[in-house]
Amino acid sequence: MPDVKSLPELLGSASETEIDGFLASLGDQTLMALPFLFEFWALPHQREPVGAWASWVIMGGRGAGKTRAGAEWVRQQVEGAASIDAGACRRVALIGETLDQVREVMVFGESGIMACSPPDRKPEWQAARRVLVWPNGAEAWAMSASSPEALRGPQFDCAWADELGKWRRGRDTWDMLQFALRLGDAPKTLVTTTPRNIGVLKEILEAADTVVTHAPTEANRANLAPGFLKKVYADYSGSRLGQQELDGKMLEDVEGALWSLECLDAVRRPEAPELDRIVVAVDPPASSKSTADACGIVVAGLQQIGEGPQDWRAWVLEDASVRGASPAQWAGRVVDAARSWQADRVVAEVNQGGDMVETVLRQQDPLLSYRGVHASRGKAVRAEPVAALYEQGRVFHLPSLRELEAQMGEMTIVGFEGKGSPDRVDALVWALTDLMIEPAATFRRPQIRRL
């Protein structure tokens, strides 16, 4: 029998014949039980650390196996030797960014609790209560990090906190959880997260009673599609986004960055209000090669809550940027975004392509409302007034803008510190310039005639 710790790696690199031979050597009962024996499959960073600890943080890249480790740890806490025997814990808090995330990822996801549980130990999901109930009576309550006050009242003897780095109200939720962990002799919390530079996560990591395991995405390569690994490492290796999302590293602010990570965390909102004007901004690439810069495509809208520019608010709605696309393909992406959001105008930088930019867009939609803009100043100089809008609290982001936000964190007062060109940031700057900067410069307040 090979070393248990190396078995996943060995099977991941073995031939089909070798795998078939290994499985054929096992008895029927062993084969049936094998998928549910996580101690047999777990990678080093997925194994619970020994010793006394209050918080265990698994920090890793996307696909590193954090969710599977969390689901299996919960099973380990609540299950006894037999299906109806009591385990070490009886009341578990399952906390995610939203209730939907708890249900779809932590409970019913491909690596969630239900998928990891053998038939005789599978818990029942009571949707009305938002509670998992095991055959032995143990319960796991689904809780949202967006509603920390819901943690007042319930009490638990362990908790699984997933993607804490994304929680909008992370500090409040974590504090309320500590007061709720009051059952048992030594309540424990497992935190599974991609690292984000937020205060509450950094404090948890620095606590004396916290233990940390860490792994990049590649550590779980035996369970990931080879095509996925090849693509994401080709596209993001060496970039700051890659360091965070693939290597699982905690990033700090770039010196002189126009947008801090704290600023970007603060501007996210779950949904946008009704908007008065919407634009799609485009930063066309110089080439359609797969190694070329992306075509930056950003959708943003304007909310007018008062008469003057100081009362305008901008909402960044979508990053539809695309890499390695032909002019016809990226133009189609622009037109699709404009139609989807019912945009009032498409704004495109024409320094690279000149009249060609308008031509390819109008081939997709002859009636497109279009405006070409020329860049006469450097990228950082153009970005500074837009960064000031963020400092004033006048710009908000919808979720799922991570690649755009990663580029924003690398734009400094002296230029872009990242890999390639800040194509997404350029599109963002053109969008907010069209929506807020230029209109504010020409705005004239109504004159009050005095008698």
PDB file of all heavy atoms in Angstrom, residues 23-52:
ATOM      1  N   LEU A  23      -7.458  -0.610  -8.076  1.00  0.00           N
ATOM      2  CA  LEU A  23      -8.844  -0.781  -7.651  1.00  0.00           C
ATOM      3  C   LEU A  23      -9.241  -2.252  -7.626  1.00  0.00           C
ATOM      4  O   LEU A  23     -10.018  -2.689  -6.763  1.00  0.00           O
ATOM      5  CB  LEU A  23      -9.780   0.000  -8.575  1.00  0.00           C
ATOM      6  CG  LEU A  23      -9.609   1.525  -8.550  1.00  0.00           C
ATOM      7  CD1 LEU A  23     -10.535   2.187  -9.578  1.00  0.00           C
ATOM      8  CD2 LEU A  23      -9.903   2.083  -7.156  1.00  0.00           C
ATOM      9  N   ALA A  24      -8.715  -3.035  -8.562  1.00  0.00           N
ATOM     10  CA  ALA A  24      -9.038  -4.458  -8.615  1.00  0.00           C
ATOM     11  C   ALA A  24      -8.497  -5.209  -7.397  1.00  0.00           C
ATOM     12  O   ALA A  24      -9.008  -6.279  -7.040  1.00  0.00           O
ATOM     13  CB  ALA A  24      -8.491  -5.085  -9.892  1.00  0.00           C
ATOM     14  N   SER A  25      -7.494  -4.658  -6.738  1.00  0.00           N
ATOM     15  CA  SER A  25      -6.904  -5.311  -5.575  1.00  0.00           C
ATOM     16  C   SER A  25      -7.728  -5.111  -4.308  1.00  0.00           C
ATOM     17  O   SER A  25      -7.440  -5.715  -3.275  1.00  0.00           O
ATOM     18  CB  SER A  25      -5.484  -4.781  -5.339  1.00  0.00           C
ATOM     19  OG  SER A  25      -5.523  -3.419  -4.913  1.00  0.00           O
ATOM     20  N   LEU A  26      -8.767  -4.266  -4.377  1.00  0.00           N
ATOM     21  CA  LEU A  26      -9.572  -3.945  -3.198  1.00  0.00           C
ATOM     22  C   LEU A  26     -10.846  -4.792  -3.181  1.00  0.00           C
ATOM     23  O   LEU A  26     -11.415  -5.114  -4.221  1.00  0.00           O
ATOM     24  CB  LEU A  26      -9.937  -2.461  -3.188  1.00  0.00           C
ATOM     25  CG  LEU A  26      -8.777  -1.476  -3.269  1.00  0.00           C
ATOM     26  CD1 LEU A  26      -9.301  -0.042  -3.314  1.00  0.00           C
ATOM     27  CD2 LEU A  26      -7.832  -1.641  -2.080  1.00  0.00           C
ATOM     28  N   GLY A  27     -11.313  -5.136  -1.996  1.00  0.00           N
ATOM     29  CA  GLY A  27     -12.560  -5.862  -1.852  1.00  0.00           C
ATOM     30  C   GLY A  27     -13.769  -4.982  -2.115  1.00  0.00           C
ATOM     31  O   GLY A  27     -13.670  -3.743  -2.156  1.00  0.00           O
ATOM     32  N   ASP A  28     -14.949  -5.620  -2.264  1.00  0.00           N
ATOM     33  CA  ASP A  28     -16.166  -4.880  -2.594  1.00  0.00           C
ATOM     34  C   ASP A  28     -16.516  -3.842  -1.528  1.00  0.00           C
ATOM     35  O   ASP A  28     -16.870  -2.699  -1.834  1.00  0.00           O
ATOM     36  CB  ASP A  28     -17.340  -5.850  -2.787  1.00  0.00           C
ATOM     37  CG  ASP A  28     -17.186  -6.692  -4.038  1.00  0.00           C
ATOM     38  OD1 ASP A  28     -16.372  -6.312  -4.903  1.00  0.00           O
ATOM     39  OD2 ASP A  28     -17.879  -7.726  -4.142  1.00  0.00           O
ATOM     40  N   GLN A  29     -16.454  -4.237  -0.255  1.00  0.00           N
ATOM     41  CA  GLN A  29     -16.812  -3.309   0.809  1.00  0.00           C
ATOM     42  C   GLN A  29     -15.840  -2.132   0.868  1.00  0.00           C
ATOM     43  O   GLN A  29     -16.234  -0.990   1.111  1.00  0.00           O
ATOM     44  CB  GLN A  29     -16.855  -4.031   2.155  1.00  0.00           C
ATOM     45  CG  GLN A  29     -18.024  -5.015   2.285  1.00  0.00           C
ATOM     46  CD  GLN A  29     -18.125  -5.605   3.673  1.00  0.00           C
ATOM     47  OE1 GLN A  29     -17.141  -5.650   4.413  1.00  0.00           O
ATOM     48  NE2 GLN A  29     -19.316  -6.076   4.028  1.00  0.00           N
ATOM     49  N   THR A  30     -14.570  -2.439   0.657  1.00  0.00           N
ATOM     50  CA  THR A  30     -13.575  -1.365   0.651  1.00  0.00           C
ATOM     51  C   THR A  30     -13.834  -0.396  -0.498  1.00  0.00           C
ATOM     52  O   THR A  30     -13.742   0.822  -0.338  1.00  0.00           O
ATOM     53  CB  THR A  30     -12.159  -1.943   0.533  1.00  0.00           C
ATOM     54  OG1 THR A  30     -11.941  -2.853   1.601  1.00  0.00           O
ATOM     55  CG2 THR A  30     -11.118  -0.840   0.577  1.00  0.00           C
ATOM     56  N   LEU A  31     -14.177  -0.927  -1.656  1.00  0.00           N
ATOM     57  CA  LEU A  31     -14.472  -0.067  -2.805  1.00  0.00           C
ATOM     58  C   LEU A  31     -15.674   0.834  -2.541  1.00  0.00           C
ATOM     59  O   LEU A  31     -15.682   1.996  -2.916  1.00  0.00           O
ATOM     60  CB  LEU A  31     -14.738  -0.932  -4.043  1.00  0.00           C
ATOM     61  CG  LEU A  31     -13.520  -1.495  -4.761  1.00  0.00           C
ATOM     62  CD1 LEU A  31     -13.956  -2.480  -5.844  1.00  0.00           C
ATOM     63  CD2 LEU A  31     -12.696  -0.365  -5.371  1.00  0.00           C
ATOM     64  N   MET A  32     -16.689   0.291  -1.876  1.00  0.00           N
ATOM     65  CA  MET A  32     -17.875   1.091  -1.576  1.00  0.00           C
ATOM     66  C   MET A  32     -17.564   2.191  -0.568  1.00  0.00           C
ATOM     67  O   MET A  32     -18.100   3.307  -0.659  1.00  0.00           O
ATOM     68  CB  MET A  32     -18.991   0.186  -1.039  1.00  0.00           C
ATOM     69  CG  MET A  32     -19.572  -0.774  -2.078  1.00  0.00           C
ATOM     70  SD  MET A  32     -20.796  -1.900  -1.356  1.00  0.00           S
ATOM     71  CE  MET A  32     -22.030  -0.714  -0.811  1.00  0.00           C
ATOM     72  N   ALA A  33     -16.700   1.898   0.382  1.00  0.00           N
ATOM     73  CA  ALA A  33     -16.389   2.869   1.428  1.00  0.00           C
ATOM     74  C   ALA A  33     -15.323   3.874   1.003  1.00  0.00           C
ATOM     75  O   ALA A  33     -15.255   4.991   1.537  1.00  0.00           O
ATOM     76  CB  ALA A  33     -15.915   2.140   2.686  1.00  0.00           C
ATOM     77  N   LEU A  34     -14.500   3.491   0.020  1.00  0.00           N
ATOM     78  CA  LEU A  34     -13.330   4.289  -0.341  1.00  0.00           C
ATOM     79  C   LEU A  34     -13.631   5.762  -0.637  1.00  0.00           C
ATOM     80  O   LEU A  34     -12.921   6.647  -0.146  1.00  0.00           O
ATOM     81  CB  LEU A  34     -12.627   3.640  -1.530  1.00  0.00           C
ATOM     82  CG  LEU A  34     -11.243   4.185  -1.887  1.00  0.00           C
ATOM     83  CD1 LEU A  34     -10.282   4.045  -0.722  1.00  0.00           C
ATOM     84  CD2 LEU A  34     -10.693   3.472  -3.125  1.00  0.00           C
ATOM     85  N   PRO A  35     -14.673   6.099  -1.420  1.00  0.00           N
ATOM     86  CA  PRO A  35     -14.908   7.513  -1.725  1.00  0.00           C
ATOM     87  C   PRO A  35     -15.202   8.366  -0.499  1.00  0.00           C
ATOM     88  O   PRO A  35     -15.023   9.593  -0.531  1.00  0.00           O
ATOM     89  CB  PRO A  35     -16.132   7.470  -2.659  1.00  0.00           C
ATOM     90  CG  PRO A  35     -16.148   6.097  -3.223  1.00  0.00           C
ATOM     91  CD  PRO A  35     -15.631   5.227  -2.128  1.00  0.00           C
ATOM     92  N   PHE A  36     -15.662   7.738   0.601  1.00  0.00           N
ATOM     93  CA  PHE A  36     -16.063   8.497   1.781  1.00  0.00           C
ATOM     94  C   PHE A  36     -15.006   8.494   2.883  1.00  0.00           C
ATOM     95  O   PHE A  36     -15.216   9.061   3.951  1.00  0.00           O
ATOM     96  CB  PHE A  36     -17.379   7.931   2.334  1.00  0.00           C
ATOM     97  CG  PHE A  36     -18.479   7.908   1.308  1.00  0.00           C
ATOM     98  CD1 PHE A  36     -18.873   6.718   0.724  1.00  0.00           C
ATOM     99  CD2 PHE A  36     -19.094   9.083   0.906  1.00  0.00           C
ATOM    100  CE1 PHE A  36     -19.880   6.689  -0.233  1.00  0.00           C
ATOM    101  CE2 PHE A  36     -20.102   9.066  -0.050  1.00  0.00           C
ATOM    102  CZ  PHE A  36     -20.500   7.871  -0.616  1.00  0.00           C
ATOM    103  N   LEU A  37     -13.858   7.869   2.629  1.00  0.00           N
ATOM    104  CA  LEU A  37     -12.764   7.850   3.613  1.00  0.00           C
ATOM    105  C   LEU A  37     -11.800   8.989   3.296  1.00  0.00           C
ATOM    106  O   LEU A  37     -10.768   8.808   2.642  1.00  0.00           O
ATOM    107  CB  LEU A  37     -12.044   6.502   3.573  1.00  0.00           C
ATOM    108  CG  LEU A  37     -12.911   5.275   3.907  1.00  0.00           C
ATOM    109  CD1 LEU A  37     -12.097   4.001   3.761  1.00  0.00           C
ATOM    110  CD2 LEU A  37     -13.472   5.400   5.324  1.00  0.00           C
ATOM    111  N   PHE A  38     -12.145  10.172   3.780  1.00  0.00           N
ATOM    112  CA  PHE A  38     -11.365  11.347   3.393  1.00  0.00           C
ATOM    113  C   PHE A  38      -9.937  11.280   3.907  1.00  0.00           C
ATOM    114  O   PHE A  38      -9.018  11.824   3.292  1.00  0.00           O
ATOM    115  CB  PHE A  38     -12.053  12.615   3.904  1.00  0.00           C
ATOM    116  CG  PHE A  38     -11.450  13.880   3.351  1.00  0.00           C
ATOM    117  CD1 PHE A  38     -11.420  14.122   1.988  1.00  0.00           C
ATOM    118  CD2 PHE A  38     -10.899  14.827   4.200  1.00  0.00           C
ATOM    119  CE1 PHE A  38     -10.858  15.279   1.470  1.00  0.00           C
ATOM    120  CE2 PHE A  38     -10.340  15.998   3.692  1.00  0.00           C
ATOM    121  CZ  PHE A  38     -10.322  16.221   2.331  1.00  0.00           C
ATOM    122  N   GLU A  39      -9.729  10.644   5.055  1.00  0.00           N
ATOM    123  CA  GLU A  39      -8.370  10.541   5.572  1.00  0.00           C
ATOM    124  C   GLU A  39      -7.469   9.792   4.596  1.00  0.00           C
ATOM    125  O   GLU A  39      -6.243   9.930   4.625  1.00  0.00           O
ATOM    126  CB  GLU A  39      -8.353   9.858   6.942  1.00  0.00           C
ATOM    127  CG  GLU A  39      -8.838   8.420   6.960  1.00  0.00           C
ATOM    128  CD  GLU A  39     -10.348   8.304   7.144  1.00  0.00           C
ATOM    129  OE1 GLU A  39     -11.053   9.315   6.932  1.00  0.00           O
ATOM    130  OE2 GLU A  39     -10.805   7.208   7.507  1.00  0.00           O
ATOM    131  N   PHE A  40      -8.072   9.003   3.727  1.00  0.00           N
ATOM    132  CA  PHE A  40      -7.326   8.250   2.722  1.00  0.00           C
ATOM    133  C   PHE A  40      -6.934   9.134   1.543  1.00  0.00           C
ATOM    134  O   PHE A  40      -5.889   8.935   0.914  1.00  0.00           O
ATOM    135  CB  PHE A  40      -8.216   7.088   2.249  1.00  0.00           C
ATOM    136  CG  PHE A  40      -7.509   6.065   1.407  1.00  0.00           C
ATOM    137  CD1 PHE A  40      -6.584   5.210   1.966  1.00  0.00           C
ATOM    138  CD2 PHE A  40      -7.790   5.946   0.055  1.00  0.00           C
ATOM    139  CE1 PHE A  40      -5.950   4.246   1.196  1.00  0.00           C
ATOM    140  CE2 PHE A  40      -7.154   4.988  -0.722  1.00  0.00           C
ATOM    141  CZ  PHE A  40      -6.230   4.134  -0.150  1.00  0.00           C
ATOM    142  N   TRP A  41      -7.792  10.143   1.241  1.00  0.00           N
ATOM    143  CA  TRP A  41      -7.597  10.980   0.059  1.00  0.00           C
ATOM    144  C   TRP A  41      -7.037  12.365   0.356  1.00  0.00           C
ATOM    145  O   TRP A  41      -6.550  13.046  -0.546  1.00  0.00           O
ATOM    146  CB  TRP A  41      -8.938  11.165  -0.674  1.00  0.00           C
ATOM    147  CG  TRP A  41      -9.536   9.903  -1.183  1.00  0.00           C
ATOM    148  CD1 TRP A  41     -10.568   9.196  -0.629  1.00  0.00           C
ATOM    149  CD2 TRP A  41      -9.134   9.176  -2.342  1.00  0.00           C
ATOM    150  NE1 TRP A  41     -10.842   8.077  -1.372  1.00  0.00           N
ATOM    151  CE2 TRP A  41      -9.974   8.034  -2.442  1.00  0.00           C
ATOM    152  CE3 TRP A  41      -8.154   9.373  -3.309  1.00  0.00           C
ATOM    153  CZ2 TRP A  41      -9.862   7.110  -3.463  1.00  0.00           C
ATOM    154  CZ3 TRP A  41      -8.045   8.443  -4.328  1.00  0.00           C
ATOM    155  CH2 TRP A  41      -8.880   7.332  -4.395  1.00  0.00           C
ATOM    156  N   ALA A  42      -7.157  12.820   1.583  1.00  0.00           N
ATOM    157  CA  ALA A  42      -6.865  14.219   1.907  1.00  0.00           C
ATOM    158  C   ALA A  42      -5.424  14.599   1.583  1.00  0.00           C
ATOM    159  O   ALA A  42      -4.477  13.839   1.818  1.00  0.00           O
ATOM    160  CB  ALA A  42      -7.149  14.477   3.377  1.00  0.00           C
ATOM    161  N   LEU A  43      -5.272  15.786   1.048  1.00  0.00           N
ATOM    162  CA  LEU A  43      -3.956  16.368   0.831  1.00  0.00           C
ATOM    163  C   LEU A  43      -3.455  16.964   2.144  1.00  0.00           C
ATOM    164  O   LEU A  43      -4.249  17.223   3.063  1.00  0.00           O
ATOM    165  CB  LEU A  43      -4.041  17.450  -0.251  1.00  0.00           C
ATOM    166  CG  LEU A  43      -4.440  16.944  -1.643  1.00  0.00           C
ATOM    167  CD1 LEU A  43      -4.856  18.092  -2.550  1.00  0.00           C
ATOM    168  CD2 LEU A  43      -3.296  16.160  -2.270  1.00  0.00           C
ATOM    169  N   PRO A  44      -2.166  17.198   2.264  1.00  0.00           N
ATOM    170  CA  PRO A  44      -1.626  17.695   3.546  1.00  0.00           C
ATOM    171  C   PRO A  44      -2.329  18.948   4.075  1.00  0.00           C
ATOM    172  O   PRO A  44      -2.602  19.045   5.274  1.00  0.00           O
ATOM    173  CB  PRO A  44      -0.152  17.972   3.210  1.00  0.00           C
ATOM    174  CG  PRO A  44       0.164  17.001   2.127  1.00  0.00           C
ATOM    175  CD  PRO A  44      -1.082  16.889   1.304  1.00  0.00           C
ATOM    176  N   HIS A  45      -2.661  19.897   3.192  1.00  0.00           N
ATOM    177  CA  HIS A  45      -3.276  21.126   3.698  1.00  0.00           C
ATOM    178  C   HIS A  45      -4.733  20.927   4.099  1.00  0.00           C
ATOM    179  O   HIS A  45      -5.335  21.804   4.717  1.00  0.00           O
ATOM    180  CB  HIS A  45      -3.185  22.241   2.645  1.00  0.00           C
ATOM    181  CG  HIS A  45      -4.015  22.002   1.408  1.00  0.00           C
ATOM    182  ND1 HIS A  45      -3.604  21.179   0.387  1.00  0.00           N
ATOM    183  CD2 HIS A  45      -5.238  22.470   1.032  1.00  0.00           C
ATOM    184  CE1 HIS A  45      -4.520  21.155  -0.560  1.00  0.00           C
ATOM    185  NE2 HIS A  45      -5.529  21.931  -0.198  1.00  0.00           N
ATOM    186  N   GLN A  46      -5.317  19.762   3.756  1.00  0.00           N
ATOM    187  CA  GLN A  46      -6.706  19.476   4.113  1.00  0.00           C
ATOM    188  C   GLN A  46      -6.822  18.685   5.416  1.00  0.00           C
ATOM    189  O   GLN A  46      -7.937  18.447   5.884  1.00  0.00           O
ATOM    190  CB  GLN A  46      -7.374  18.673   2.993  1.00  0.00           C
ATOM    191  CG  GLN A  46      -7.476  19.423   1.660  1.00  0.00           C
ATOM    192  CD  GLN A  46      -8.010  18.537   0.558  1.00  0.00           C
ATOM    193  OE1 GLN A  46      -7.545  17.408   0.374  1.00  0.00           O
ATOM    194  NE2 GLN A  46      -8.984  19.032  -0.193  1.00  0.00           N
ATOM    195  N   ARG A  47      -5.698  18.299   6.009  1.00  0.00           N
ATOM    196  CA  ARG A  47      -5.718  17.500   7.230  1.00  0.00           C
ATOM    197  C   ARG A  47      -5.737  18.404   8.454  1.00  0.00           C
ATOM    198  O   ARG A  47      -4.963  19.356   8.561  1.00  0.00           O
ATOM    199  CB  ARG A  47      -4.496  16.583   7.280  1.00  0.00           C
ATOM    200  CG  ARG A  47      -4.434  15.602   6.131  1.00  0.00           C
ATOM    201  CD  ARG A  47      -3.141  14.788   6.175  1.00  0.00           C
ATOM    202  NE  ARG A  47      -3.064  13.897   5.025  1.00  0.00           N
ATOM    203  CZ  ARG A  47      -3.632  12.709   4.961  1.00  0.00           C
ATOM    204  NH1 ARG A  47      -4.309  12.253   6.001  1.00  0.00           N
ATOM    205  NH2 ARG A  47      -3.520  11.964   3.876  1.00  0.00           N
ATOM    206  N   GLU A  48      -6.632  18.102   9.383  1.00  0.00           N
ATOM    207  CA  GLU A  48      -6.752  18.924  10.595  1.00  0.00           C
ATOM    208  C   GLU A  48      -5.442  18.918  11.384  1.00  0.00           C
ATOM    209  O   GLU A  48      -4.885  17.859  11.683  1.00  0.00           O
ATOM    210  CB  GLU A  48      -7.881  18.402  11.480  1.00  0.00           C
ATOM    211  CG  GLU A  48      -8.066  19.221  12.738  1.00  0.00           C
ATOM    212  CD  GLU A  48      -9.261  18.753  13.559  1.00  0.00           C
ATOM    213  OE1 GLU A  48     -10.105  18.003  13.025  1.00  0.00           O
ATOM    214  OE2 GLU A  48      -9.350  19.153  14.741  1.00  0.00           O
ATOM    215  N   PRO A  49      -4.936  20.090  11.740  1.00  0.00           N
ATOM    216  CA  PRO A  49      -3.692  20.156  12.518  1.00  0.00           C
ATOM    217  C   PRO A  49      -3.884  19.576  13.918  1.00  0.00           C
ATOM    218  O   PRO A  49      -4.979  19.636  14.491  1.00  0.00           O
ATOM    219  CB  PRO A  49      -3.399  21.665  12.589  1.00  0.00           C
ATOM    220  CG  PRO A  49      -4.209  22.271  11.485  1.00  0.00           C
ATOM    221  CD  PRO A  49      -5.422  21.417  11.357  1.00  0.00           C
ATOM    222  N   VAL A  50      -2.834  19.045  14.456  1.00  0.00           N
ATOM    223  CA  VAL A  50      -2.875  18.515  15.820  1.00  0.00           C
ATOM    224  C   VAL A  50      -2.688  19.656  16.804  1.00  0.00           C
ATOM    225  O   VAL A  50      -2.276  20.760  16.440  1.00  0.00           O
ATOM    226  CB  VAL A  50      -1.773  17.449  16.028  1.00  0.00           C
ATOM    227  CG1 VAL A  50      -2.002  16.266  15.110  1.00  0.00           C
ATOM    228  CG2 VAL A  50      -0.387  18.042  15.795  1.00  0.00           C
ATOM    229  N   GLY A  51      -2.997  19.409  18.070  1.00  0.00           N
ATOM    230  CA  GLY A  51      -2.806  20.409  19.100  1.00  0.00           C
ATOM    231  C   GLY A  51      -4.068  21.187  19.409  1.00  0.00           C
ATOM    232  O   GLY A  51      -5.122  20.999  18.802  1.00  0.00           O
ATOM    233  N   ALA A  52      -3.939  22.061  20.386  1.00  0.00           N
ATOM    234  CA  ALA A  52      -5.065  22.895  20.827  1.00  0.00           C
ATOM    235  C   ALA A  52      -5.107  24.177  19.996  1.00  0.00           C
ATOM    236  O   ALA A  52      -4.141  24.936  19.975  1.00  0.00           O
ATOM    237  CB  ALA A  52      -4.919  23.216  22.310  1.00  0.00           C
TER     238      ALA A  52
END
